[in-house]
Amino acid sequence: GASSRWIARCFEATPIRAKVVDDFFAMQCGKLALNLTNAVNSLSGEPLGAMFMQRPYRLVLAASIQEAFSVFAAAGVAPTALTASDRLMLRWFVLLLRAPQAV
C-alpha cells in the first residue's frame, strides 16, 4: 500500500534497494517453494552439492516443490519471485531436478 511505497522511497538515496510488490503472498509462496531445498538438504545430511549429485534426493525435492505448487494452485495462488533468476527457478527447477543422473 501507500505506507510500503513511502518506506521504499526512504531508501532511494541509499545503496539499499527496496521494491514494493503488489502480491506479497504470491512472493512468499514462491520463496517457500524454493526454500524446500533447505528442508530436503537438512534431512539428507549431505552437503548441498553432494545432495544435488544424487538423483533420489533431487526427485524428493522435485516432488516436494510440485506438491507445494499443487497446494498453491488449489488456493488460486500463482507463486512468483522478486528476481528474474528466482522466477526462472520457479518455472524450470522441477524439470531440471527430474533430469537423469549425469555419469
Side-chain angles (χ1 to χ4, degrees), residues 17-84:
R17 293 292 155 238
K19 184 171 181 176
V20 178
V21 295
D22 293 326
D23 192 348
F24 190 71
F25 187 65
M27 191 78 56
Q28 287 177 311
C29 290
K31 185 70 171 165
L32 175 63
L34 294 178
N35 281 349
L36 288 170
T37 301
N38 298 335
V40 174
N41 181 239
S42 179
L43 292 170
S44 77
E46 297 280 351
L48 188 61
M51 182 196 82
F52 278 125
M53 293 304 295
Q54 298 178 54
R55 191 163 193 251
Y57 290 128
R58 292 196 318 270
L59 293 176
V60 167
L61 178 55
S64 300
I65 295 171
Q66 189 61 57
E67 180 69 17
F69 286 163
S70 296
V71 170
F72 300 148
V77 177
T80 190
L82 188 59
T83 66

Side-chain angles (χ1 to χ4, degrees), residues 5 7 11 27 57 72-73 80-81 86 88 91 93 98 103:
R5 286 175 190 37
I7 292 170
F11 287 101
M27 191 78 56
Y57 290 128
F72 300 148
T80 190
D86 280 352
L88 196 64
R91 183 169 182 169
F93 198 32
R98 290 181 176 151
V103 179

